[in-house]
Amino acid sequence: MVAHTYQLPDLRSFFARKPGGPISPHFKEAYQGYNEWVKNTLGYYFSIEVYNAEMPLLAALAYPITTEHELRAILDYMTASFMLEEMTDRYSSTKALKNSEIWIQTLKDGQPETSSRHPFIKLMSKEMMARLKSAVDPFHWPQFISTNVDFARTTVREALDRESSKGVHATRDLQSYMITRRETIGTRPCLVLMRSTRRLYIPDHVLEHDAVMGMENAALDMVYIANDIYSFKKELGDNGALNNIITVILKDPDTSHLDLQGSINYAGDLFKAALDDFHACRRRIPSFDSGMDKYMSAYADGLVDWVIGNIEWSIVNNRYKVFCNDSDRRSNIMRLSNGHSLHLHLPSVLCVILLIVFIFVYRQDPTLRLMHVSHYLSPFSSSFVQ
């Protein structure tokens, strides 16, 4: 089968350093403990989805400054947000609204107002929310809930768009897509958790300052643009990459003249523009007082950690499999076979079999997984696993 090669932008090279360090020192413990919990708690099919998402790796890379308890709680939240997607993605808007409301109630109060038989809600009520709330600073809890309410609403809007077919037309408009994707990526609540782990007591009126909001939005833009670039190959095989910035660039009237390589390059340019905007907004943040200025500097560094951590996770995780080998990863070469088409979906039974084998092997020997990840991230840090 003929494979076409495409040059991906080297997004990691835009950053000289990762302010918080390469990875959380608690990665190994989080990886082993979380995967054991998944094995003993989640159903078989959903556990495969969770293993494939490699959330312990993302959490450890995006939150290099955390305690072990906080990192485990962050994994509870990532799992809960993954559950929300499962509860809304394939349902009608009415059902998505009901499920999202129950999810928010459980997140906020530890249990829904009325009893729910949904296994995800039962699990959240039984143990996940207690661990999460015990790890989040009380100052940050209201901000955390507020951003999750907004995130849950976006899942309902997506269901409404699917029903009215607006989503199909929206993907042709790059500007509209970027505004929407900034929220649907679901990272804003994660930034509250980052402020909590770093004890950054930034009140709402400061967060709402134009320059601070601009800096945060630019960071979110970098997260979803990187996510879309590195997940494009997987999404192409799943559903034709219908909701991906590269596909949107190909369809937008202002950029539809570009071929696939040109669209990839354009997405890379958008990432660089968001990074430039991030630095510009950071420079425009006024002085509040000495204590708040320290918080703002640390928050900006934390945003950079999140952006870089997301890139590093996207490059090596087995969910995307963007690179065929280590040489391609170093060169940022993506290979697409004829089976990867913007108009054709060809699921592979072989890929499913290999995934199951992969999960079985790594569940039996977590040390093998750590060695594998360390090898792939070695250009970023020689001290990835201590």
Side-chain angles (χ1 to χ4, degrees):
M1 184 177 291
V2 177
H4 303 279
T5 61
Y6 298 90
Q7 181 70 55
L8 299 186
D10 185 2
L11 303 183
R12 182 62 180 84
S13 69
F14 292 149
F15 302 88
R17 68 183 185 92
K18 192 174 181 182
I23 191 168
S24 168
H26 306 295
F27 170 53
K28 184 176 181 178
E29 293 82 0
Y31 176 86
Q32 294 173 334
Y34 177 77
N35 282 351
E36 184 67 21
W37 176 81
V38 170
K39 175 184 175 182
N40 296 331
T41 308
L42 301 183
Y44 175 73
Y45 291 105
F46 187 63
S47 67
I48 289 179
E49 291 287 329
V50 172
Y51 281 125
N52 196 28
E54 298 195 72
M55 286 184 274
L57 179 60
L58 174 59
L61 289 170
Y63 298 91
I65 303 176
T66 57
T67 66
E68 184 178 346
H69 177 59
E70 288 168 338
L71 193 62
R72 181 61 184 86
I74 287 167
L75 286 169
D76 277 317
Y77 174 68
M78 288 184 170
T79 307
S81 62
F82 201 68
M83 290 174 172
L84 176 63
E85 292 182 18
E86 290 291 314
M87 293 169 65
T88 58
D89 270 1
R90 291 179 290 275
Y91 292 96
S92 68
S93 60
T94 302
K95 184 66 173 178
L97 175 61
K98 180 180 178 180
N99 284 346
S100 68
E101 288 176 342
I102 293 173
W103 185 86
I104 279 293
Q105 290 168 4
T106 307
L107 190 72
K108 181 179 180 181
D109 302 321
Q111 59 184 10
E113 292 180 357
T114 57
S115 61
S116 173
R117 297 167 59 184
H118 198 292
F120 292 166
I121 298 300
K122 287 183 176 180
L123 186 57
M124 288 173 65
S125 302
K126 182 180 178 181
E127 54 181 295
M128 294 170 65
M129 292 305 97
R131 275 197 303 263
L132 178 59
K133 193 163 187 178
S134 70
V136 178
D137 191 289
F139 175 90
H140 298 94
W141 186 254
Q143 295 176 343
F144 178 65
I145 293 299
S146 176
T147 53
N148 272 291
V149 169
D150 292 339
F151 175 49
R153 285 172 179 163
T154 66
T155 66
V156 178
R157 283 200 296 269
E158 287 181 302
L160 287 167
D161 286 345
R162 287 195 298 270
E163 287 181 349
S164 62
S165 299
K166 288 181 180 178
V168 175
H169 301 294
T171 58
R172 299 180 184 276
D173 180 355
L174 180 58
Q175 184 177 8
S176 297
Y177 174 85
M178 293 180 70
I179 293 172
T180 302
R181 186 74 171 109
R182 184 184 291 163
E183 306 307 323
T184 60
I185 190 68
T187 306
R188 215 179 281 276
C190 297
L191 302 184
V192 182
L193 293 179
M194 179 265 286
R195 296 198 297 271
S196 176
T197 61
R198 300 189 182 204
R199 311 297 185 264
L200 306 179
Y201 301 106
I202 307 174
D204 290 342
H205 76 272
V206 174
L207 291 170
E208 292 166 1
H209 186 279
D210 179 66
V212 178
M213 287 184 62
M215 180 178 69
E216 184 176 292
N217 286 338
L220 292 171
D221 290 346
M222 287 187 279
V223 169
Y224 77 72
I225 292 171
N227 182 271
D228 281 10
I229 290 174
Y230 292 118
S231 68
F232 177 74
K233 181 178 180 178
K234 175 187 180 297
E235 292 178 24
L236 203 55
D238 288 348
N239 60 14
L242 294 176
N243 292 295
N244 185 289
I245 197 167
I246 294 174
T247 306
V248 176
I249 292 168
L250 287 167
K251 292 181 179 181
D252 188 288
D254 292 335
T255 52
S256 59
H257 62 281
L258 297 171
D259 60 10
L260 182 53
Q261 182 62 67
S263 296
I264 293 170
N265 296 344
Y266 195 88
D269 292 340
L270 290 174
F271 182 95
K272 184 58 168 62
L275 178 58
D276 291 342
D277 191 34
F278 175 89
H279 289 310
C281 289
R282 184 174 186 174
R283 289 191 294 268
R284 287 197 297 108
I285 295 176
S287 177
F288 296 96
D289 59 57
S290 59
M292 190 58 60
D293 291 349
K294 290 179 180 179
Y295 287 159
M296 292 310 306
S297 178
Y299 185 41
D301 285 346
L303 293 174
V304 173
D305 283 339
W306 228 105
V307 173
I308 295 176
N310 175 65
I311 293 170
E312 293 171 339
W313 172 79
S314 299
I315 288 172
V316 302
N317 78 71
N318 289 284
R319 180 179 176 87
Y320 296 160
K321 290 185 172 65
V322 61
F323 301 116
C324 293
N325 51 59
D326 197 38
S327 176
D328 284 355
R329 182 191 60 78
R330 288 194 298 268
S331 304
N332 292 290
I333 296 295
M334 178 179 69
R335 300 179 188 273
L336 298 180
S337 67
N338 289 335
H340 288 99
S341 168
L342 288 171
H343 309 289
L344 187 63
H345 173 34
L346 294 176
S348 170
V349 174
L350 178 60
C351 287
V352 175
I353 294 173
L354 289 174
L355 172 60
I356 294 173
V357 171
F358 169 83
I359 291 171
F360 176 79
V361 171
Y362 284 150
R363 282 172 64 180
Q364 300 304 312
D365 187 358
T367 303
L368 181 63
R369 178 69 186 109
L370 294 175
M371 292 170 59
H372 176 82
V373 173
S374 177
H375 168 71
Y376 271 82
L377 279 186
S378 57
F380 306 136
S381 169
S382 59
S383 59
F384 184 81
V385 178
Q386 302 296 330

